[in-house]
Amino acid sequence: MRFIKPAEIASRIMSLMDEAENTLIIISPYNKIAKWEKMRRLLMAVSKRIDVEYYIRARVPGNRKEITSMGINPVEIDNLHAKVYMNERSAIVTSMNLNESSDIQSLDIGFETENSDEFEHVKSFYRTHIRPRRGAILVEGAFRAGAVADQSDCVSALQECLHRGMKSRAFERSGDVLVLKDAFLNGLSVRLEPRSGYYRIDFRFELPPDRKSYLFHGLEGMRDQLETEIGHNIEFGRQMKRIKIDVGNKGSTRFDYKHIGAWDRGTLRDWLGSEYDQLVRVFVRSINAIVPRIKKLETMAK
């Protein structure tokens, strides 16, 4: 890595931001940019042409407002202390926060990656420790809104909230079953359940009989459209309580997910990547296909 002289750290960070073409990732726990006009103008200009991922330390007074005032929505992370600035080609690891007083008064140290191996090491830290937090937070918001637009964020959220065992406001655990309870509307839950050789995505209705029957039959009449959008077969339960989508091979005994512990890291690591990708793809598509139709049926019934 190339050593950056203390007096040049801020200017090199700004150059990295300005050079970003597709990606800009800022990990800065503490931020004071309101009066740092040059930095503020640059960040606002960059955020208008590309997506800026901005990570800050949680529960720091005024911290979030500093960033949202520029039209950037930051992700707050408990106990964040790392400072990293990264575009699609290089990264700077430093002791400097985006704080104008740091540039003027503090003595900081910084290093910039010089080759792909060094850059991959920094990206690995980001993917392992930072990105999953963003996924969990964004997907929770998407679940509440009834849509999951970004599959990569859904993957990150699943990884963070499932086999890393972290708690989440959107996800609940019931034994080996992941439950999204009342995530979209009262009385609807989505369950992700490990079975022997496959996983089951289960939309369950806990509603009064008339309302449940109306929604169930309304969706059943859309079966062909739903299966086309999801790319997978749907099974409508006989008692009108649930809609089931089984992902995997029911006849396979290669993995008994329920027996070995559904969300252990080893389980998902051993499960072929293509199978895991299929689960996430069907999970996201099923939410995006089914939930808006339920909401539309609800609106039509009023």
Side-chain angles (χ1 to χ4, degrees), residues 2 6 18 21 28 36 40 45 66 97 125 143 150 160 167 187 196 201 223 266 281 284:
R2 183 178 71 85
D18 192 43
E21 295 178 0
S28 174
W36 194 354
R40 184 179 174 84
E66 287 279 339
N97 289 286
F125 165 81
F143 282 148
D150 190 331
E160 186 75 7
K167 294 181 179 179
S196 181
I201 302 168
R223 181 199 291 264
R281 183 167 58 250
V284 172

PDB file of all heavy atoms in Angstrom, residues 2 6 18 21 28 36 40 45 66 97 125 143 150 160 167 187 196 201 223 266 281 284:
ATOM      1  N   ARG A   2       0.371   2.304  -0.620  1.00  0.00           N
ATOM      2  CA  ARG A   2       1.115   3.554  -0.692  1.00  0.00           C
ATOM      3  C   ARG A   2       0.772   4.438   0.496  1.00  0.00           C
ATOM      4  O   ARG A   2      -0.400   4.680   0.788  1.00  0.00           O
ATOM      5  CB  ARG A   2       0.784   4.292  -1.993  1.00  0.00           C
ATOM      6  CG  ARG A   2       1.566   5.584  -2.185  1.00  0.00           C
ATOM      7  CD  ARG A   2       1.217   6.219  -3.517  1.00  0.00           C
ATOM      8  NE  ARG A   2      -0.132   6.768  -3.535  1.00  0.00           N
ATOM      9  CZ  ARG A   2      -0.437   8.003  -3.097  1.00  0.00           C
ATOM     10  NH1 ARG A   2       0.515   8.772  -2.558  1.00  0.00           N
ATOM     11  NH2 ARG A   2      -1.665   8.432  -3.178  1.00  0.00           N
ATOM     12  N   PRO A   6       0.246  12.979   5.812  1.00  0.00           N
ATOM     13  CA  PRO A   6      -0.875  13.502   6.594  1.00  0.00           C
ATOM     14  C   PRO A   6      -1.551  14.718   5.969  1.00  0.00           C
ATOM     15  O   PRO A   6      -2.779  14.829   5.987  1.00  0.00           O
ATOM     16  CB  PRO A   6      -0.220  13.851   7.936  1.00  0.00           C
ATOM     17  CG  PRO A   6       0.904  12.873   8.054  1.00  0.00           C
ATOM     18  CD  PRO A   6       1.436  12.708   6.657  1.00  0.00           C
ATOM     19  N   ASP A  18     -14.111  11.931  -6.517  1.00  0.00           N
ATOM     20  CA  ASP A  18     -14.329  12.560  -7.815  1.00  0.00           C
ATOM     21  C   ASP A  18     -14.089  11.581  -8.960  1.00  0.00           C
ATOM     22  O   ASP A  18     -14.712  11.679 -10.018  1.00  0.00           O
ATOM     23  CB  ASP A  18     -13.405  13.766  -7.948  1.00  0.00           C
ATOM     24  CG  ASP A  18     -13.772  14.644  -9.137  1.00  0.00           C
ATOM     25  OD1 ASP A  18     -14.981  14.879  -9.341  1.00  0.00           O
ATOM     26  OD2 ASP A  18     -12.853  15.067  -9.870  1.00  0.00           O
ATOM     27  N   GLU A  21     -16.753   6.224 -10.759  1.00  0.00           N
ATOM     28  CA  GLU A  21     -17.608   6.182 -11.949  1.00  0.00           C
ATOM     29  C   GLU A  21     -18.912   5.439 -11.699  1.00  0.00           C
ATOM     30  O   GLU A  21     -19.950   5.798 -12.257  1.00  0.00           O
ATOM     31  CB  GLU A  21     -16.854   5.521 -13.103  1.00  0.00           C
ATOM     32  CG  GLU A  21     -15.636   6.313 -13.559  1.00  0.00           C
ATOM     33  CD  GLU A  21     -14.880   5.613 -14.672  1.00  0.00           C
ATOM     34  OE1 GLU A  21     -15.313   4.506 -15.079  1.00  0.00           O
ATOM     35  OE2 GLU A  21     -13.867   6.149 -15.140  1.00  0.00           O
ATOM     36  N   SER A  28     -17.288   6.283   7.527  1.00  0.00           N
ATOM     37  CA  SER A  28     -16.772   7.373   8.355  1.00  0.00           C
ATOM     38  C   SER A  28     -17.640   7.484   9.600  1.00  0.00           C
ATOM     39  O   SER A  28     -18.757   8.015   9.537  1.00  0.00           O
ATOM     40  CB  SER A  28     -16.791   8.686   7.562  1.00  0.00           C
ATOM     41  OG  SER A  28     -16.419   9.773   8.388  1.00  0.00           O
ATOM     42  N   TRP A  36     -17.763  22.447   5.781  1.00  0.00           N
ATOM     43  CA  TRP A  36     -16.638  22.044   4.922  1.00  0.00           C
ATOM     44  C   TRP A  36     -17.143  22.123   3.487  1.00  0.00           C
ATOM     45  O   TRP A  36     -17.500  21.128   2.889  1.00  0.00           O
ATOM     46  CB  TRP A  36     -16.195  20.643   5.285  1.00  0.00           C
ATOM     47  CG  TRP A  36     -14.862  20.244   4.719  1.00  0.00           C
ATOM     48  CD1 TRP A  36     -14.091  20.936   3.847  1.00  0.00           C
ATOM     49  CD2 TRP A  36     -14.166  19.025   5.006  1.00  0.00           C
ATOM     50  NE1 TRP A  36     -12.941  20.247   3.563  1.00  0.00           N
ATOM     51  CE2 TRP A  36     -12.961  19.068   4.258  1.00  0.00           C
ATOM     52  CE3 TRP A  36     -14.437  17.926   5.801  1.00  0.00           C
ATOM     53  CZ2 TRP A  36     -12.041  18.015   4.300  1.00  0.00           C
ATOM     54  CZ3 TRP A  36     -13.525  16.894   5.836  1.00  0.00           C
ATOM     55  CH2 TRP A  36     -12.334  16.936   5.109  1.00  0.00           C
ATOM     56  N   ARG A  40     -18.469  19.170   0.896  1.00  0.00           N
ATOM     57  CA  ARG A  40     -19.927  19.094   0.780  1.00  0.00           C
ATOM     58  C   ARG A  40     -20.370  19.206  -0.684  1.00  0.00           C
ATOM     59  O   ARG A  40     -21.212  18.418  -1.147  1.00  0.00           O
ATOM     60  CB  ARG A  40     -20.556  20.206   1.623  1.00  0.00           C
ATOM     61  CG  ARG A  40     -22.071  20.176   1.670  1.00  0.00           C
ATOM     62  CD  ARG A  40     -22.595  21.306   2.554  1.00  0.00           C
ATOM     63  NE  ARG A  40     -24.034  21.373   2.492  1.00  0.00           N
ATOM     64  CZ  ARG A  40     -24.847  20.631   3.228  1.00  0.00           C
ATOM     65  NH1 ARG A  40     -24.352  19.744   4.070  1.00  0.00           N
ATOM     66  NH2 ARG A  40     -26.153  20.747   3.117  1.00  0.00           N
ATOM     67  N   ALA A  45     -22.436  16.562  -5.588  1.00  0.00           N
ATOM     68  CA  ALA A  45     -22.302  16.375  -7.035  1.00  0.00           C
ATOM     69  C   ALA A  45     -22.159  14.901  -7.381  1.00  0.00           C
ATOM     70  O   ALA A  45     -22.805  14.402  -8.321  1.00  0.00           O
ATOM     71  CB  ALA A  45     -21.094  17.158  -7.554  1.00  0.00           C
ATOM     72  N   GLU A  66     -26.044  15.411   9.365  1.00  0.00           N
ATOM     73  CA  GLU A  66     -24.946  15.921   8.537  1.00  0.00           C
ATOM     74  C   GLU A  66     -25.005  15.320   7.134  1.00  0.00           C
ATOM     75  O   GLU A  66     -24.718  16.002   6.143  1.00  0.00           O
ATOM     76  CB  GLU A  66     -23.599  15.572   9.178  1.00  0.00           C
ATOM     77  CG  GLU A  66     -23.253  16.367  10.412  1.00  0.00           C
ATOM     78  CD  GLU A  66     -22.678  17.736  10.079  1.00  0.00           C
ATOM     79  OE1 GLU A  66     -22.188  17.929   8.957  1.00  0.00           O
ATOM     80  OE2 GLU A  66     -22.720  18.617  10.959  1.00  0.00           O
ATOM     81  N   ASN A  97     -11.749  10.712   9.922  1.00  0.00           N
ATOM     82  CA  ASN A  97     -13.176  10.837   9.676  1.00  0.00           C
ATOM     83  C   ASN A  97     -13.419  11.992   8.714  1.00  0.00           C
ATOM     84  O   ASN A  97     -12.542  12.841   8.511  1.00  0.00           O
ATOM     85  CB  ASN A  97     -13.923  11.147  10.987  1.00  0.00           C
ATOM     86  CG  ASN A  97     -13.954   9.977  11.933  1.00  0.00           C
ATOM     87  OD1 ASN A  97     -14.672   9.010  11.723  1.00  0.00           O
ATOM     88  ND2 ASN A  97     -13.161  10.074  13.011  1.00  0.00           N
ATOM     89  N   PHE A 125     -13.179  -7.045   3.640  1.00  0.00           N
ATOM     90  CA  PHE A 125     -13.605  -6.489   4.930  1.00  0.00           C
ATOM     91  C   PHE A 125     -14.980  -5.848   4.795  1.00  0.00           C
ATOM     92  O   PHE A 125     -15.876  -6.061   5.623  1.00  0.00           O
ATOM     93  CB  PHE A 125     -12.588  -5.451   5.407  1.00  0.00           C
ATOM     94  CG  PHE A 125     -13.103  -4.581   6.533  1.00  0.00           C
ATOM     95  CD1 PHE A 125     -13.093  -5.044   7.836  1.00  0.00           C
ATOM     96  CD2 PHE A 125     -13.605  -3.313   6.273  1.00  0.00           C
ATOM     97  CE1 PHE A 125     -13.587  -4.261   8.876  1.00  0.00           C
ATOM     98  CE2 PHE A 125     -14.102  -2.513   7.297  1.00  0.00           C
ATOM     99  CZ  PHE A 125     -14.085  -2.998   8.606  1.00  0.00           C
ATOM    100  N   PHE A 143     -39.320  -4.709   3.082  1.00  0.00           N
ATOM    101  CA  PHE A 143     -40.381  -5.605   3.539  1.00  0.00           C
ATOM    102  C   PHE A 143     -41.575  -4.796   4.035  1.00  0.00           C
ATOM    103  O   PHE A 143     -42.718  -5.115   3.766  1.00  0.00           O
ATOM    104  CB  PHE A 143     -39.881  -6.505   4.662  1.00  0.00           C
ATOM    105  CG  PHE A 143     -39.039  -7.659   4.185  1.00  0.00           C
ATOM    106  CD1 PHE A 143     -38.013  -8.146   4.976  1.00  0.00           C
ATOM    107  CD2 PHE A 143     -39.277  -8.253   2.965  1.00  0.00           C
ATOM    108  CE1 PHE A 143     -37.240  -9.207   4.552  1.00  0.00           C
ATOM    109  CE2 PHE A 143     -38.510  -9.321   2.523  1.00  0.00           C
ATOM    110  CZ  PHE A 143     -37.488  -9.801   3.319  1.00  0.00           C
ATOM    111  N   ASP A 150     -33.920  -4.991  -4.557  1.00  0.00           N
ATOM    112  CA  ASP A 150     -32.509  -5.282  -4.753  1.00  0.00           C
ATOM    113  C   ASP A 150     -32.184  -6.671  -4.226  1.00  0.00           C
ATOM    114  O   ASP A 150     -32.143  -6.896  -3.029  1.00  0.00           O
ATOM    115  CB  ASP A 150     -31.670  -4.227  -4.014  1.00  0.00           C
ATOM    116  CG  ASP A 150     -30.184  -4.331  -4.375  1.00  0.00           C
ATOM    117  OD1 ASP A 150     -29.734  -5.442  -4.701  1.00  0.00           O
ATOM    118  OD2 ASP A 150     -29.496  -3.301  -4.320  1.00  0.00           O
ATOM    119  N   GLU A 160     -26.935 -12.099   6.947  1.00  0.00           N
ATOM    120  CA  GLU A 160     -26.714 -11.445   8.237  1.00  0.00           C
ATOM    121  C   GLU A 160     -27.688 -11.948   9.293  1.00  0.00           C
ATOM    122  O   GLU A 160     -27.306 -12.238  10.418  1.00  0.00           O
ATOM    123  CB  GLU A 160     -26.875  -9.932   8.071  1.00  0.00           C
ATOM    124  CG  GLU A 160     -26.529  -9.125   9.315  1.00  0.00           C
ATOM    125  CD  GLU A 160     -25.042  -9.028   9.574  1.00  0.00           C
ATOM    126  OE1 GLU A 160     -24.237  -9.475   8.721  1.00  0.00           O
ATOM    127  OE2 GLU A 160     -24.668  -8.526  10.625  1.00  0.00           O
ATOM    128  N   LYS A 167     -30.041 -10.564  15.338  1.00  0.00           N
ATOM    129  CA  LYS A 167     -31.451 -10.205  15.448  1.00  0.00           C
ATOM    130  C   LYS A 167     -31.785  -9.128  14.423  1.00  0.00           C
ATOM    131  O   LYS A 167     -30.942  -8.358  14.009  1.00  0.00           O
ATOM    132  CB  LYS A 167     -31.760  -9.710  16.858  1.00  0.00           C
ATOM    133  CG  LYS A 167     -31.608 -10.790  17.921  1.00  0.00           C
ATOM    134  CD  LYS A 167     -31.964 -10.244  19.287  1.00  0.00           C
ATOM    135  CE  LYS A 167     -31.831 -11.336  20.337  1.00  0.00           C
ATOM    136  NZ  LYS A 167     -32.151 -10.835  21.699  1.00  0.00           N
ATOM    137  N   GLY A 187     -51.992  -9.899   9.595  1.00  0.00           N
ATOM    138  CA  GLY A 187     -52.617 -11.178   9.293  1.00  0.00           C
ATOM    139  C   GLY A 187     -51.919 -11.984   8.223  1.00  0.00           C
ATOM    140  O   GLY A 187     -52.347 -13.100   7.904  1.00  0.00           O
ATOM    141  N   SER A 196     -36.347 -31.598   4.503  1.00  0.00           N
ATOM    142  CA  SER A 196     -35.369 -32.594   4.065  1.00  0.00           C
ATOM    143  C   SER A 196     -35.195 -32.512   2.550  1.00  0.00           C
ATOM    144  O   SER A 196     -36.060 -32.929   1.797  1.00  0.00           O
ATOM    145  CB  SER A 196     -35.853 -33.994   4.464  1.00  0.00           C
ATOM    146  OG  SER A 196     -34.917 -34.973   4.071  1.00  0.00           O
ATOM    147  N   ILE A 201     -41.070 -21.915   1.091  1.00  0.00           N
ATOM    148  CA  ILE A 201     -41.529 -20.536   1.280  1.00  0.00           C
ATOM    149  C   ILE A 201     -43.037 -20.610   1.455  1.00  0.00           C
ATOM    150  O   ILE A 201     -43.743 -21.138   0.595  1.00  0.00           O
ATOM    151  CB  ILE A 201     -41.169 -19.659   0.073  1.00  0.00           C
ATOM    152  CG1 ILE A 201     -39.652 -19.675  -0.163  1.00  0.00           C
ATOM    153  CG2 ILE A 201     -41.653 -18.226   0.280  1.00  0.00           C
ATOM    154  CD1 ILE A 201     -39.229 -19.080  -1.490  1.00  0.00           C
ATOM    155  N   ARG A 223     -52.955 -17.764 -10.596  1.00  0.00           N
ATOM    156  CA  ARG A 223     -51.865 -18.743 -10.470  1.00  0.00           C
ATOM    157  C   ARG A 223     -50.895 -18.693 -11.655  1.00  0.00           C
ATOM    158  O   ARG A 223     -49.674 -18.646 -11.458  1.00  0.00           O
ATOM    159  CB  ARG A 223     -52.431 -20.152 -10.342  1.00  0.00           C
ATOM    160  CG  ARG A 223     -51.334 -21.216 -10.185  1.00  0.00           C
ATOM    161  CD  ARG A 223     -51.851 -22.608 -10.527  1.00  0.00           C
ATOM    162  NE  ARG A 223     -52.800 -23.081  -9.555  1.00  0.00           N
ATOM    163  CZ  ARG A 223     -52.480 -23.873  -8.531  1.00  0.00           C
ATOM    164  NH1 ARG A 223     -51.227 -24.264  -8.365  1.00  0.00           N
ATOM    165  NH2 ARG A 223     -53.416 -24.274  -7.689  1.00  0.00           N
ATOM    166  N   GLY A 266     -22.170 -23.523   8.261  1.00  0.00           N
ATOM    167  CA  GLY A 266     -21.698 -24.693   7.524  1.00  0.00           C
ATOM    168  C   GLY A 266     -22.739 -25.234   6.573  1.00  0.00           C
ATOM    169  O   GLY A 266     -22.426 -25.700   5.478  1.00  0.00           O
ATOM    170  N   ARG A 281     -33.539 -16.096  -5.102  1.00  0.00           N
ATOM    171  CA  ARG A 281     -34.235 -15.561  -6.281  1.00  0.00           C
ATOM    172  C   ARG A 281     -35.738 -15.810  -6.180  1.00  0.00           C
ATOM    173  O   ARG A 281     -36.551 -14.911  -6.399  1.00  0.00           O
ATOM    174  CB  ARG A 281     -33.660 -16.207  -7.538  1.00  0.00           C
ATOM    175  CG  ARG A 281     -34.264 -15.685  -8.832  1.00  0.00           C
ATOM    176  CD  ARG A 281     -33.440 -16.135 -10.031  1.00  0.00           C
ATOM    177  NE  ARG A 281     -33.326 -17.577 -10.112  1.00  0.00           N
ATOM    178  CZ  ARG A 281     -32.218 -18.263  -9.893  1.00  0.00           C
ATOM    179  NH1 ARG A 281     -31.112 -17.622  -9.559  1.00  0.00           N
ATOM    180  NH2 ARG A 281     -32.184 -19.567 -10.019  1.00  0.00           N
ATOM    181  N   VAL A 284     -37.335 -13.660  -3.278  1.00  0.00           N
ATOM    182  CA  VAL A 284     -37.538 -12.257  -3.656  1.00  0.00           C
ATOM    183  C   VAL A 284     -38.679 -12.125  -4.655  1.00  0.00           C
ATOM    184  O   VAL A 284     -39.568 -11.280  -4.507  1.00  0.00           O
ATOM    185  CB  VAL A 284     -36.235 -11.673  -4.239  1.00  0.00           C
ATOM    186  CG1 VAL A 284     -36.482 -10.288  -4.821  1.00  0.00           C
ATOM    187  CG2 VAL A 284     -35.154 -11.609  -3.179  1.00  0.00           C
TER     188      VAL A 284
END
